[in-house]
């Protein structure tokens, strides 16, 4: 194989519940069939299946079994594996770092550093390497921000061997999402740092922080966050809910996105299975406490509608398992938007009989699927509406959002169409 060819096979490692070092779970191969479609195959390793501690890497598609799993969805990469790989931002970092613009799906998995979301890792050796022990510290944030800025502005040298380009991997590229980010550590554990971009319409770091606070005030379970200002710029730090610090290193929770659970495709134009109603059906099958998590998902739909978060796509919801059991992950990536229409705004996923319409009646129309009685569902919707209406402004200000930015996002909250 030459260095320009894409790899077609790799081992999949997993850090088992409560452990801090990985074991080999199985093998993944990605090939092209005679029709020219990419087809992925996964098999669990015999030794892994015999291990009493073994857990499934995906609660829907890859249950513990001796069979050879096959998929042609998502370019042949099983959802759970794809969830552990980089997205737009991380791919950009890797392309710059490797000096190649056309990498295969497997290359993105293999080239990304081991700070990815969830419990999986990838490599070419039968046995996994030792886990990464050192991470960037919060003190390094200014350097990391400068590096991210230079990458966005395309101001890094073209030479893949240049020091700055080598330094890129410091950013921590394996986390998904499109916004510039890095993984950093402090005494409390690991955080995902999200940087502002110069062409942002408002101060995202402060506003996202405020939305997480507002969501908590509305009774949602969310990721913990805090703000740091480095080199005069604000950075949002979101505590990683898939890592716990122990004396021996980090334990890792398994994590799959709603995209994987829905067996959906990423392309927004298609939106096959992009539905909260289907998602809650899947959730009820997967999680240990269906009533609790279904209600939590219902609250999130209401909250997204009330802050016009129309970027609530299936990668912005996830399920995690710290031990053997799965549950809905804390909420993350909550961002307001201000579409022109005052009558109709659409969430990314269908949420009721009237499709994606971010509207109270629509959201209530499927309350039974969320295991809620009509009156309880109504209480949630009305209570949250009052809470958002009454407190969004003070919450945003308490997070240090400027008057100008508060004004700019004011149209996001409880838009008229919500109550039509
Ligand atoms: N607190 C967290 N702990 C662990 N993983 C997270 C956390 N927040 C987000 N993630 C993962 O990182 C990805 C990117 O984060 P996100 O906030 O959605 O960034 P972006 O704004 O770029 O989309 C998410 O899709 C999710 O898989
Ligand atoms: Mg996101």
């Amino acid at each position: 194989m030459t260095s320009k060819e894409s790899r077609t096979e790799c081992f999949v490692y997993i850090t088992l519940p409560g452990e801090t070092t990985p074991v080999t779970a199985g093998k993944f191969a990605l090939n092209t069939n005679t029709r020219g479609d990419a087809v992925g195959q996964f098999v669990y390793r015999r030794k892994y299946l015999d291990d009493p501690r073994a857990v499934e890497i995906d609660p829907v598609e890859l249950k513990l079994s001796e069979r050879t799993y096959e998929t042609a969805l998502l370019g042949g990469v099983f959802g759970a594996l794809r969830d552990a790989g980089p997205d737009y931002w991380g791919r950009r970092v890797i392309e710059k770092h490797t000096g190649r613009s056309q990498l295969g799906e497997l290359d993105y998995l293999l080239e990304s550093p081991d700070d990815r979301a969830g419990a999986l890792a990838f490599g070419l050796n039968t046995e996994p390497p030792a886990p990464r022990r050192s991470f960037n510290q919060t003190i390094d944030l200014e350097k990391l921000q400068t590096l991210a800025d230079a990458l966005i502005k395309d101001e890094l040298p073209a030479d893949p061997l240049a020091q700055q380009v080598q330094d890129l991997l410091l950013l921590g590229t394996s986390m998904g999402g499109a916004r510039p980010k890095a993984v950093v550590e402090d005494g409390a554990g690991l955080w995902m740092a999200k940087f502002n971009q110069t062409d942002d319409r408002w101060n995202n770091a402060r506003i996202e922080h405020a939305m997480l606070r507002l969501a908590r005030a509305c009774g949602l379970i969310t990721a913990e966050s805090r703000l740091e200002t480095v080199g005069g710029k604000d950075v949002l730090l979101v505590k990683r809910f898939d890592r716990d610090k122990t004396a021996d290193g980090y334990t890792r929770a398994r994590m799959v996105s709603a995209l994987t659970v829905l067996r959906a495709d990423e392309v927004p134009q298609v939106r096959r299975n992009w539905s909260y109603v289907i998602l809650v059906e899947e959730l009820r099958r997967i999680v240990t406490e269906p009533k609790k998590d279904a209600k939590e998902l219902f609250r999130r739909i209401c909250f997204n509608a009330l802050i016009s978060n129309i970027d609530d796509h299936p990668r912005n919801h996830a399920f995690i398992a710290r031990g053997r059991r799965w549950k809905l992950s804390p909420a993350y990536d909550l961002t307001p938007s201000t579409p022109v229409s005052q009558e109709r705004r659409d969430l990314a996923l269908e949420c009721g009989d009237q499709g994606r319409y971010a509207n109270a009646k629509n959201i209530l129309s499927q309350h039974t699927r969320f295991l809620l009685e009509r009156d309880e569902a109504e209480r949630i919707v009305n209570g949250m509406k009052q809470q958002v209406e009454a407190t969004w402004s003070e919450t945003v200000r308490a997070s240090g959002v400027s008057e100008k930015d508060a004004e700019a996002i004011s149209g996001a909250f409880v838009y008229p169409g919500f109550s039509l």
Side-chain angles (χ1 to χ4, degrees):
M1 182 177 102
T2 72
S3 63
K4 289 274 184 278
E5 276 171 27
S6 295
R7 300 169 178 112
T8 59
E9 272 189 5
C10 72
F11 289 94
V12 178
Y13 314 127
I14 187 168
T15 304
L16 290 166
E19 305 283 331
T20 54
T21 51
V23 296
T24 304
K27 199 169 182 180
F28 173 60
L30 185 59
N31 291 295
T32 311
N33 67 13
T34 44
R35 287 204 306 277
D37 306 321
V39 177
Q41 289 186 322
F42 177 80
V43 267
Y44 282 106
R45 193 185 192 193
R46 178 76 259 163
K47 189 172 159 197
Y48 184 73
L49 291 172
D50 289 342
D51 188 334
R53 301 167 307 162
V55 288
E56 67 211 5
I57 64 181
D58 174 341
V60 180
E61 208 174 13
L62 300 173
K63 296 207 173 277
L64 287 178
S65 151
E66 285 175 6
R67 59 177 280 209
T68 300
Y69 288 98
E70 219 172 79
T71 186
L73 279 176
L74 288 171
V77 184
F78 292 92
L81 308 186
R82 176 67 183 75
D83 284 339
D87 277 339
Y88 177 77
W89 168 252
R91 285 171 184 240
R92 201 164 155 183
V93 175
I94 291 169
E95 284 158 15
K96 190 78 193 174
H97 185 254
T98 56
R100 294 168 60 189
S101 58
Q102 282 293 308
L103 280 94
E105 285 300 317
L106 228 79
D107 298 314
Y108 286 112
L109 293 179
L110 290 164
E111 296 288 344
S112 45
D114 195 21
D115 49 17
R116 55 176 54 83
L120 302 184
F122 308 92
L124 298 173
N125 297 321
T126 326
E127 299 305 326
R132 180 168 170 177
R133 291 277 176 214
S134 69
F135 291 90
N136 285 298
Q137 302 299 302
T138 36
I139 288 175
D140 306 321
L141 272 172
E142 189 164 357
K143 177 177 178 191
L144 300 173
Q145 178 171 260
T146 309
L147 212 52
D149 272 350
L151 180 69
I152 293 164
K153 292 190 199 131
D154 214 8
E155 283 173 356
L156 292 174
D159 175 9
L161 296 177
Q163 189 55 49
Q164 269 179 302
V165 176
Q166 291 298 315
D167 282 352
L168 272 184
L169 281 193
L170 291 175
L171 283 173
T173 48
S174 310
M175 302 296 286
R179 294 193 60 81
K181 54 178 71 68
V183 174
V184 288
E185 184 183 48
D186 67 7
L190 283 183
W191 301 77
M192 181 173 78
K194 295 178 80 172
F195 302 114
N196 281 337
Q197 283 176 269
T198 39
D199 59 354
D200 285 338
R201 288 178 58 202
W202 44 64
N203 187 329
N204 263 294
R206 283 191 185 269
I207 289 175
E208 194 175 331
H209 179 60
M211 291 308 102
L212 288 165
R213 289 172 70 166
L214 185 61
R216 272 194 295 280
C218 288
L220 270 68
I221 299 167
T222 75
E224 179 191 339
S225 64
R226 67 181 168 90
L227 290 163
E228 284 233 356
T229 305
V230 294
K233 293 179 185 167
D234 295 319
V235 183
L236 174 68
L237 293 185
V238 188
K239 184 87 193 293
R240 289 191 58 173
F241 47 66
D242 62 335
R243 293 285 194 281
D244 283 311
K245 198 169 188 162
T246 72
D248 300 326
Y250 283 95
T251 58
R252 297 171 64 156
R254 284 171 290 159
M255 193 161 152
V256 289
S257 70
L259 195 80
T260 295
V261 167
L262 289 166
R263 290 187 212 78
D265 215 302
E266 303 204 73
V267 199
Q269 290 80 358
V270 183
R271 288 182 199 270
R272 194 180 64 87
N273 283 357
W274 281 36
S275 160
Y276 283 116
V277 183
I278 302 178
L279 185 60
V280 77
E281 294 286 334
E282 294 295 340
L283 171 152
R284 286 162 55 184
R285 272 194 276 275
I286 298 169
V287 304
T288 319
E289 295 182 273
K291 215 167 156 51
K292 177 166 172 261
D293 286 5
K295 184 169 166 183
E296 173 73 16
L297 184 62
F298 185 81
R299 284 178 182 282
R300 289 191 195 169
I301 301 168
C302 290
F303 186 76
N304 288 337
L306 285 164
I307 71 159
S308 303
N309 176 18
I310 56 174
D311 191 33
D312 57 332
H313 58 75
R315 276 190 194 288
N316 280 335
H317 302 279
F319 293 84
I320 58 166
R322 286 214 172 74
R324 301 192 81 87
R325 299 161 156 198
W326 292 90
K327 65 175 185 185
L328 190 65
S329 82
Y332 56 89
D333 205 3
L334 303 174
T335 49
S337 70
T338 54
V340 180
S341 173
Q342 296 301 315
E343 288 84 48
R344 174 149 188 156
R345 293 181 183 172
D346 280 346
L347 297 177
L349 278 70
E350 280 182 11
C351 54
D353 296 344
Q354 295 181 70
R356 294 155 52 207
Y357 190 14
N359 164 273
K361 284 200 195 86
N362 189 33
I363 294 168
L364 284 166
S365 70
Q366 290 283 345
H367 65 90
T368 49
R369 305 256 210 151
F370 293 84
L371 308 176
L372 292 167
E373 299 293 337
R374 177 84 195 185
D375 58 341
E376 191 180 6
E378 275 175 8
R379 272 202 304 278
I380 293 174
V381 172
N382 295 334
M384 205 180 292
K385 181 181 165 218
Q386 279 166 18
Q387 175 85 23
V388 171
E389 217 156 27
T391 63
W392 77 263
S393 175
E394 64 193 65
T395 308
V396 155
R397 280 175 179 80
S399 299
V401 172
S402 68
E403 287 298 318
K404 186 170 142 281
D405 280 359
E407 178 60 34
I409 58 169
S410 61
F413 303 99
V414 199
Y415 84 107
F418 180 80
S419 308
L420 284 179

